[in-house]
Amino acid sequence: MKFDKITIFIAESLRRGLFLVCFSAMLSLSGCGREDTLLSELRREEDAKVSEERSAGADRDSQESGTGEKILVHVCGAVKNPGVYELSAGSRFYEAVEAAGGFSGEADKDYLNMASVLSDGSRLEIPTLDEAKERELLSSEQEGLVNINTADVERLCDLPGVGEGRAKAIVEYREKQGGFQKKEDIMQVSGIGEKMYERMEAYLAVE
């Protein structure tokens, strides 16, 4: 009789324990379901937010860089493939050179500022090393010359033997005669003879 009571007690305990385990498991599963649903919703919201931010950033970058617009640029001179190229608005000199196949072997790569911005319809000419030297020499020579067809009174006074009075006479002569055709014509100005012309000849220009 005592054995039967013990057996019944154990059986009842097992049933209760099993019920509690099952009930806990059901609650756990139900809770996990709600948690998974909540996490899924949060993930969807976060993904949507990230997508919007990326889209806005792309639009911003597109507007800033002007990638939606195109320009045409004529690239010539010391490049491998001279021609007209279509580039994105806001492109730099170096990008135009790259589009033309890069510099040729004799190009002066440092003559121009390769970071400069191109404009639509512009012409980018890359000089050779020899051409760049010639341009520098010509520029240096012209800096010391006085164009007697365009120089004002102050600039004309830089010529040897020319003061304010003679400078005004030069201006008056060119206004009446329509300018000087050649350097020697300056001797037609009152007060300027052959000797004075010889002194100033090396500094004169008419173009």
Side-chain angles (χ1 to χ4, degrees):
M1 192 68 176
K2 186 177 181 181
F3 177 79
D4 291 340
K5 290 182 178 180
I6 293 172
T7 303
I8 293 170
F9 176 78
I10 292 173
E12 289 292 329
S13 298
L14 288 173
R15 280 199 299 272
R16 289 174 183 172
L18 183 59
F19 174 78
L20 289 173
V21 170
C22 291
F23 183 74
S24 298
M26 290 175 66
L27 288 177
S28 178
L29 289 172
S30 177
C32 287
R34 288 196 297 272
E35 183 179 357
D36 289 343
T37 301
L38 181 59
L39 288 174
S40 297
E41 291 177 355
L42 290 174
R43 288 195 189 98
R44 280 197 297 270
E45 291 177 1
E46 185 65 22
D47 291 342
K49 184 177 180 182
V50 171
S51 179
E52 289 177 2
E53 290 177 352
R54 286 178 180 174
S55 179
D59 291 341
R60 236 181 357 256
D61 293 342
S62 178
Q63 291 174 358
E64 292 175 358
S65 62
T67 53
E69 299 179 7
K70 297 294 182 181
I71 61 173
L72 292 177
V73 179
H74 182 195
V75 188
C76 58
V79 292
K80 294 180 180 178
N81 301 304
V84 176
Y85 292 90
E86 184 180 71
L87 302 170
S88 297
S91 293
R92 310 282 175 162
F93 279 18
Y94 78 90
E95 292 175 298
V97 172
E98 289 176 352
F103 293 107
S104 61
E106 66 274 15
D108 186 343
K109 301 177 182 179
D110 298 322
Y111 187 80
L112 299 175
N113 179 5
M114 289 292 108
S116 297
V117 178
L118 293 159
S119 58
D120 184 43
S122 60
R123 182 174 183 269
L124 179 61
E125 181 179 359
I126 307 298
T128 64
L129 290 168
D130 290 339
E131 288 171 343
K133 288 180 182 178
E134 290 176 3
R135 292 180 186 182
E136 290 176 1
L137 288 172
L138 181 61
S139 177
S140 298
E141 291 173 357
Q142 289 179 339
E143 285 179 1
L145 298 180
V146 176
N147 189 327
I148 54 179
N149 279 322
T150 59
D152 58 15
V153 171
E154 183 178 359
R155 180 67 172 132
L156 289 168
C157 288
D158 291 336
L159 292 169
V162 175
E164 185 176 349
R166 283 200 178 97
K168 288 181 178 179
I170 293 172
V171 172
E172 183 179 354
Y173 176 87
R174 78 186 184 203
E175 288 177 349
K176 289 181 179 179
Q177 301 299 323
F180 299 94
Q181 300 301 314
K182 53 186 184 297
K183 293 188 293 183
E184 292 83 349
D185 289 345
I186 198 171
M187 288 188 288
Q188 301 298 322
V189 178
S190 177
I192 299 179
E194 290 185 6
K195 289 184 178 180
M196 182 174 289
Y197 173 73
E198 289 175 359
R199 291 171 58 193
M200 66 173 65
E201 181 182 10
Y203 303 95
L204 301 179
V206 292
E207 295 180 357

